[in-house]
Amino acid sequence: MNLSMKWLNDYVKADMPIKEFVAGITMSGSKVETYHEMRGEVEKVVVGKVLDIKKHEDSEKLWICQVDVGQDAPIQIVTAATNVTAGAYIPVVLDGGTVIDRENGKTVKIKKGKLRGAESCGMFCSFNELGMDNADFPYSSPDGVLVLNDDPDFDKMKPGDDVLKVVGLDDISVEFEITNNRPDCLSVLGLARETSATFGLPYDVKEPAFKGVDGDIRKELTVTVENTKLCSRYMAAKVKNVKIAPSPRWMVERLRASGVRAINNLVDITNFVMLEYGHPMHAFDARYVAGNQIVVRNAKDGETLKLLDEAKEPVKLTPEMLVIADAEKPMAVAGVMGGEYSGIWDDTTEVIFEAACFDGVSVRRTARKIGERTESSARFEKGLDPINAKNALYRALQLVEMLGCGEVVNTVIDIDNSNKTPHKLVHDWKWVNSFLGADIPEEEQIDILERLGFVYDRATHEITVPSVRIDMLLPCDIGEEIARIYGYNRIASTIPKLSSRSAVTKEQKFADKLCGIMIAQGCMETMTFSFISPKWYEKIRLAEDRRKSVTLLDPLGEDTSVMRTTMIPSMTELIVRNINNRTPAGRFFEPGRIYLPKENAGELPEERDVLCIGVYGADEDFFTLKGIVEAIFDDTGIDARFTKCTDATFHTGRCAKVTAGDTEIGVLGELHPAVAENYGVKERIYIAELDIAAMCGLANDDVKYRQLPKFPAITRDLSLVCDDAVESGDIVDIITKNGKHLEQVTLFDMYKGAGVADGKKSLSYKLVMRREDKTMEAEEADKSVEKILKALGEKNITLR
């Protein structure tokens, strides 16, 4: 957004030095990218009045002029210009001055000299030498010098005046970077409000109004809005007896400083209002509105439209695009650009002004699809205020009457389906101070809000948000408004106070503890992507019911198109990559997240935190992984057990399900040889996947310490023979339940072979028994073992 400081001063007298203005407005939240003086490098150019002109005696093309430049005596200038006459007011660059050479893009210094023997103390200038173009002076020939008094707007100049002030080049253009949440600042009035609030200056803007002539537009034009969702408000007005002409100097100068080229009075009015109010407008030539009907509708299949951009081919319209049509055809793409015959022509006599409010998302999608992002679409896509449409239309009609370019019919069409309920927020000044860590008095806070245009109810402390401020939604937004106008630099730096809400949660503490345990087990932490290829499920032979995943709408590629439902393929890919890079062994872990889709496709998926562990190498086996998992349970106080299970991903007989009571914690095992083959490796890979939330809920932080034992322990070794199907955990349960003074049970050997019958296996356990009150005797230990063996015998488990 380029802002003319002259234009700004029409509403707020910001006459401070430009550097002070730029610094202040930036600190209050309206970031300035840069600024530049419109005069550029042009120097010592004044208004000169030609007093006398005569032919050069030694040249057929040169003329000698006596010129009044406001000095004690006239100066002499030799020129070849053919449009110089006595009494003409012409820009004169004096000796030592500089002008623009537009062909080379450089400045040229002018010095006193002689032409064919005649002294020339300066040079007459055309608009080119001032860095301007024909759009600034449509009446002036580009082949001659600029005759200022050909323009009636230059009626108060006198010889010696600074030409740059006369032609409006004494302005400063400030370029702002406006964020997407502040479309109200994409306007002169929006920045004027910000300037008023920032510097505490009066903000003087009158509500636009027009007189009009008798007539009823509704008898001459019908407007229908078919899609009220994409067009919340549509207003139309009519201007008759239009007179197309150049715009006045003041309008041309303000448009030029804002980066807009003047075209003619009607077109300039629409651009002027868009810049001033931030609300785009369009003007239709009434001749080309077939059937005197305007229909706001979705485009039809197969429709095309030739846009005002003459260089491009007609664009193809699709049904999701909103268009402004007449009884026969589309005339404009809503919010983006008008069609070929929707503009203003030199012979236009009747104009229909449009001021509407279109859906921002729809405008943005349409603009991208047809490849036309315009000043209009850039504003609509950020979200505009439907109420502001009326102000924009009335301002345009006011300017029509002010410039004398037509007769305004004094009725308008207004189809308004917008929500007019004002948004209100409650202001709690103490909460604002707590939120900001500041000490801003209540009255100063209220003053800031009122300066920003908020209506404040002192009885209820309720503020009514201006309709243009679509960014004001929550109480924290009030705090931000107050802070930026009060001045961030005035708020003392403080250390944030931690509340209970900002403290580390139980789950976060548990996750940190898990990381510490894993590192102590010699594992390295890794991080993988949450989105994977659906082909990975096939590679690990995942069950079909676990392959249903959340699919990304706009994935980076097929390899990252779904959100994972298990971390096993991620860990397997990582291990395989290490194997292929000739890393002989490794232990890895990752606390990550899986995503389980809901039955209803519209619901967000269940996000579950899991711990994935992966090990491989010559010295690693199933029991290594099981030992790592057991270390987790020992350190977190979880009483878990391992149960043999079958899973297509894992090796048959080398897979265990981990449970604690009725809670399933996870699974661990050796990857099936077919899985390893799918990855092209021969090494054995062991992986565990554990539910962090389940473990956190089972963890026992209540650690009780007891003194070291005073009395010695007695140990007994039991080698037991049982069926292959019997699990060690079941045997440990029987031993624990029947053993008296039992302190520890440890499995230390498993054997199958000679001496053990087929279908049987031998499991050896070490039992540690100890009394706390006295030394345990051998006989007492033997009785405890006898009871254990009896209980085991009932389950057909015998002593070897």
Side-chain angles (χ1 to χ4, degrees):
M1 173 70 189
N2 292 334
L3 175 68
S4 160
M5 291 301 292
K6 275 189 175 181
W7 201 345
L8 176 70
N9 275 273
D10 290 342
Y11 307 112
V12 178
K13 297 301 179 184
D15 52 2
M16 71 283 293
I18 186 62
K19 289 186 178 180
E20 181 181 329
F21 170 78
V22 166
I25 202 74
T26 298
M27 287 300 295
S28 68
S30 302
K31 182 186 176 185
V32 174
E33 284 289 301
T34 186
Y35 70 89
H36 71 275
E37 298 184 12
M38 299 296 294
R39 68 186 299 129
E41 298 180 74
V42 177
E43 295 179 358
K44 295 184 71 174
V45 182
V46 300
V47 175
K49 180 181 180 181
V50 179
L51 303 176
D52 181 55
I53 180 170
K54 65 180 181 179
K55 195 77 175 178
H56 194 297
E57 295 178 356
D58 297 328
S59 174
E60 293 182 358
K61 295 183 178 180
L62 297 180
W63 298 82
I64 298 176
C65 305
Q66 302 300 317
V67 185
D68 180 3
V69 291
Q71 298 178 1
D72 294 337
I75 65 171
Q76 180 171 292
I77 293 178
V78 179
T79 183
T82 58
N83 62 334
V84 177
T85 59
Y89 285 77
I90 302 173
V92 176
V93 54
L94 302 176
D95 179 35
T98 56
V99 290
I100 305 296
D101 181 356
R102 297 196 68 170
E103 290 187 5
N104 299 317
K106 299 179 180 179
T107 57
V108 178
K109 185 175 283 290
I110 302 301
K111 294 184 179 180
K112 184 189 297 185
K114 290 186 177 183
L115 292 175
R116 294 288 181 93
E119 184 180 51
S120 183
C121 299
M123 184 183 80
F124 290 136
C125 297
S126 70
F127 50 73
N128 283 320
E129 277 84 29
L130 300 178
M132 306 171 81
D133 56 38
N134 203 197
D136 298 302
F137 304 96
Y139 57 84
S140 180
S141 170
D143 299 324
V145 296
L146 177 58
V147 180
L148 295 171
N149 51 326
D150 284 350
D151 190 331
D153 285 338
F154 296 140
D155 58 349
K156 296 181 181 179
M157 60 187 170
K158 61 183 185 297
D161 285 349
D162 185 350
V163 163
L164 301 182
K165 288 186 177 181
V166 172
V167 300
L169 283 179
D170 58 332
D171 200 356
I172 298 176
S173 178
V174 182
E175 181 183 346
F176 285 87
E177 180 189 342
I178 305 300
T179 54
N180 288 339
N181 67 324
R182 292 299 305 274
D184 59 299
C185 286
L186 284 171
S187 65
V188 175
L189 294 183
L191 291 172
R193 279 190 295 268
E194 291 295 305
T195 302
S196 170
T198 300
F199 299 100
L201 300 171
Y203 174 62
D204 183 19
V205 176
K206 296 180 175 60
E207 187 174 341
F210 65 95
K211 296 179 180 178
V213 297
D214 290 340
D216 189 351
I217 186 176
R218 287 164 291 192
K219 294 180 180 179
E220 303 177 33
L221 179 73
T222 60
V223 176
T224 305
V225 178
E226 293 183 359
N227 192 331
T228 57
K229 182 179 179 182
L230 299 186
C231 178
S232 57
R233 190 172 194 179
Y234 192 96
M235 299 186 70
K238 195 166 190 178
V239 179
K240 299 180 177 180
N241 299 322
V242 169
K243 302 177 183 66
I244 303 298
S247 297
R249 293 296 322 155
W250 61 269
M251 181 174 284
V252 173
E253 291 170 5
R254 280 154 177 70
L255 290 175
R256 181 178 63 230
S258 301
V260 178
R261 184 172 63 90
I263 298 174
N264 60 51
N265 49 7
L266 262 296
V267 175
D268 293 347
I269 284 173
T270 61
N271 288 330
F272 188 90
V273 171
M274 179 182 70
L275 293 171
E276 188 174 51
Y277 278 82
H279 202 101
M281 295 189 62
H282 194 74
F284 296 98
D285 188 324
R287 290 177 298 177
Y288 300 109
V289 181
N292 292 321
Q293 296 180 37
I294 290 180
V295 183
V296 184
R297 61 172 173 81
N298 289 78
K300 300 174 183 177
D301 273 326
E303 283 188 320
T304 61
L305 179 63
K306 182 75 170 70
L307 300 177
L308 282 170
D309 188 347
E310 298 176 358
K312 294 192 176 182
E313 294 296 319
V315 296
K316 295 180 181 179
L317 305 176
T318 53
E320 69 271 13
M321 298 179 182
L322 191 70
V323 297
I324 312 300
D326 57 22
E328 301 174 356
K329 63 189 182 303
M331 298 188 296
V333 180
V336 182
M337 184 180 287
E340 182 179 14
Y341 294 103
S342 69
I344 303 300
W345 309 88
D346 291 340
D347 60 346
T348 297
T349 58
E350 288 192 355
V351 168
I352 296 171
F353 276 108
E354 164 197 285
C357 193
F358 304 114
D359 178 71
V361 174
S362 173
V363 170
R364 178 171 176 80
R365 288 175 178 169
T366 300
R368 290 184 63 185
K369 206 160 192 176
I370 66 175
E372 292 284 354
R373 192 167 189 269
T374 61
E375 287 287 337
S376 174
S377 68
R379 285 168 168 78
F380 275 120
E381 68 187 29
K382 293 175 176 61
L384 295 184
D385 171 27
I387 295 176
N388 204 32
K390 178 182 177 182
N391 294 330
L393 181 64
Y394 278 42
R395 176 58 168 161
L397 301 177
Q398 182 185 54
L399 289 170
V400 167
E401 293 184 337
M402 188 185 302
L403 272 56
C405 21
E407 297 175 351
V408 180
V409 176
N410 62 8
T411 57
V412 299
I413 293 175
D414 185 3
I415 301 178
D416 190 359
N417 293 288
S418 62
N419 181 11
K420 299 182 180 64
T421 305
H423 184 53
K424 296 187 177 184
L425 293 169
V426 176
H427 170 233
D428 183 343
W429 71 278
K430 292 181 179 178
W431 180 88
V432 169
N433 279 334
S434 174
F435 176 69
L436 298 177
D439 187 18
I440 307 173
E442 180 181 13
E443 283 302 317
E444 188 167 357
Q445 292 190 24
I446 295 173
D447 177 62
I448 288 172
L449 293 172
E450 290 179 336
R451 279 156 52 190
L452 286 167
F454 296 90
V455 178
Y456 197 95
D457 187 336
R458 292 175 180 268
T460 62
H461 298 286
E462 193 174 58
I463 62 173
T464 302
V465 179
S467 58
V468 294
R469 292 300 304 274
I470 63 172
D471 60 313
M472 295 295 298
L473 302 173
L474 302 169
C476 58
D477 296 325
I478 299 177
E480 181 184 357
E481 292 297 289
I482 292 171
R484 68 184 184 86
I485 300 301
Y486 177 76
Y488 292 114
N489 56 323
R490 296 175 60 191
I491 300 176
S493 298
T494 56
I495 298 174
K497 295 180 180 179
L498 295 178
S499 65
S500 58
R501 290 178 296 176
S502 61
V504 178
T505 64
K506 177 183 177 182
E507 291 76 12
Q508 290 171 327
K509 287 181 179 179
F510 185 77
D512 288 343
K513 186 173 183 177
L514 284 180
C515 290
I517 297 170
M518 297 309 301
I519 292 170
Q521 294 297 313
C523 299
M524 297 179 63
E525 185 173 3
T526 67
M527 181 180 291
T528 57
F529 288 121
S530 297
F531 33 84
I532 63 173
S533 168
K535 294 179 181 178
W536 288 10
Y537 294 145
E538 184 66 33
K539 293 177 78 172
I540 67 166
R541 310 197 325 164
L542 189 69
E544 289 293 336
D545 60 336
R546 296 186 61 192
R547 296 190 186 187
K548 184 180 179 183
S549 307
V550 177
T551 303
L552 300 181
L553 293 177
D554 189 15
L556 297 174
E558 195 276 340
D559 288 343
T560 54
S561 59
V562 299
M563 305 300 291
R564 65 191 177 194
T565 60
T566 173
M567 287 188 64
I568 294 175
S570 300
M571 182 59 73
T572 305
E573 284 283 338
L574 184 145
I575 290 176
V576 169
R577 192 178 306 119
N578 278 271
I579 292 173
N580 292 336
N581 288 333
R582 300 183 180 180
T583 306
R587 293 185 178 185
F588 306 100
F589 78 95
E590 178 182 352
R593 184 164 290 183
I594 60 175
Y595 302 83
L596 307 178
K598 299 287 184 66
E599 290 295 329
N600 186 350
E603 291 186 63
L604 292 175
E606 177 189 351
E607 299 185 24
R608 187 177 297 173
D609 291 324
V610 298
L611 175 67
C612 192
I613 309 168
V615 300
Y616 77 97
D619 296 330
E620 312 289 358
D621 58 17
F622 174 82
F623 294 104
T624 302
L625 179 62
K626 182 172 179 284
I628 293 173
V629 174
E630 287 178 330
I632 294 174
F633 297 151
D634 288 343
D635 286 356
T636 56
I638 298 174
D639 184 14
R641 65 178 298 159
F642 300 85
T643 307
K644 181 179 178 181
C645 69
T646 302
D647 190 313
T649 300
F650 295 99
H651 196 299
T652 304
R654 297 175 190 170
C655 174
K657 180 173 65 175
V658 186
T659 57
D662 295 330
T663 303
E664 186 171 329
I665 297 175
V667 65
L668 74 155
E670 177 188 336
L671 289 186
H672 197 283
V675 175
E677 184 178 347
N678 288 339
Y679 282 93
V681 295
K682 296 180 180 179
E683 288 80 352
R684 295 185 175 187
I685 300 173
Y686 306 91
I687 291 181
E689 187 176 49
L690 308 174
D691 189 324
I692 293 178
M695 291 190 292
C696 181
L698 294 167
N700 182 11
D701 294 334
D702 185 18
V703 179
K704 293 182 178 179
Y705 296 91
R706 57 184 181 180
Q707 62 182 353
L708 293 174
K710 297 180 180 179
F711 303 101
I714 294 179
T715 61
R716 293 287 188 271
D717 292 343
L718 297 179
S719 290
L720 306 172
V721 177
C722 61
D723 294 335
D724 273 341
V726 177
E727 295 183 359
S728 174
D730 294 333
I731 295 176
V732 172
D733 288 343
I734 295 173
I735 294 173
T736 304
K737 184 177 180 180
N738 292 277
K740 194 174 183 182
H741 304 301
L742 193 64
E743 188 176 86
Q744 186 177 350
V745 180
T746 306
L747 173 69
F748 65 87
D749 183 47
M750 183 186 76
Y751 172 74
K752 293 178 70 175
V756 178
D758 292 338
K760 299 284 187 176
K761 62 183 176 182
S762 172
L763 300 176
S764 299
Y765 297 89
K766 174 177 281 188
L767 280 59
V768 178
M769 292 173 282
R770 187 197 311 270
R771 292 190 60 143
E772 295 182 356
D773 55 345
K774 65 178 183 177
T775 300
M776 191 173 188
E777 296 181 1
E779 293 80 3
E780 192 174 4
D782 292 339
K783 287 182 180 180
S784 180
V785 170
E786 287 177 7
K787 184 178 179 182
I788 291 171
L789 291 174
K790 182 179 180 182
L792 289 170
E794 294 174 359
K795 300 294 183 180
N796 200 26
I797 302 170
T798 61
L799 192 65
R800 182 178 171 188

